[in-house]
Amino acid sequence: MKTKFTPGPWKIGSYDDDGDLAIVTKKQTIALLDQRMIDSKAMIDDDINKANAALIAAAPEMFLILQEYLEKYMDIDETDLNNRAVSILKKARGE
C-alpha cells in the first residue's frame, strides 16, 4: 500500500546554534525539534532531544519493516501482537 508520508531516509540535521534539531530528507525539512518546553522557560535536555530526533528519523524505516513483516506473517500467526501492529500502521497512515 502506498503511503502518504514522505519516504525515507530521514536524517537528523542541525536547525540552529541553540541545539534545536531538524528531521530532513535530501529535499525537504520534515520536522523541527525545539528544545524549549511548551508554556515554560525550561529546556529539554540535549540527550532527550537527540533521542526524540533519532526515533522520528527512524520512523519511515520502522514503518516499512513492520509492514513487510505483517505481509509475510499475518496469515500464519494472528496474534494480539500482530493485530496491534496492524493498528499502529493504520495510525501512521492517518486512518
Side-chain angles (χ1 to χ4, degrees):
M1 172 180 283
K2 184 160 174 56
T3 60
K4 294 180 185 177
F5 58 79
T6 303
W10 294 359
K11 299 185 188 266
I12 301 169
S14 179
Y15 176 66
D16 59 24
D17 294 334
D18 293 333
D20 296 333
L21 300 173
I23 306 301
V24 299
T25 68
K26 289 182 179 180
K27 297 182 180 182
Q28 76 182 87
T29 299
I30 301 296
L32 301 175
L33 284 84
D34 191 327
Q35 285 189 290
R36 291 172 291 178
M37 298 185 70
I38 297 174
D39 297 330
S40 172
K41 292 183 181 181
M43 302 291 276
I44 297 172
D45 181 84
D46 266 351
D47 290 338
I48 293 172
N49 204 34
K50 288 175 184 173
N52 290 341
L55 179 62
I56 295 166
E61 293 168 274
M62 290 190 296
F63 180 92
L64 292 174
I65 289 169
L66 186 55
Q67 185 174 311
E68 183 180 323
Y69 170 84
L70 287 174
E71 287 170 0
K72 187 171 184 178
Y73 294 109
M74 187 65 180
D75 292 337
I76 297 170
D77 188 20
E78 274 201 50
T79 64
D80 179 57
L81 181 61
N82 285 356
N83 292 331
R84 289 175 21 218
V86 167
S87 294
I88 199 67
L89 288 178
K90 285 181 180 180
K91 182 179 179 180
R93 288 191 298 262
E95 296 175 11

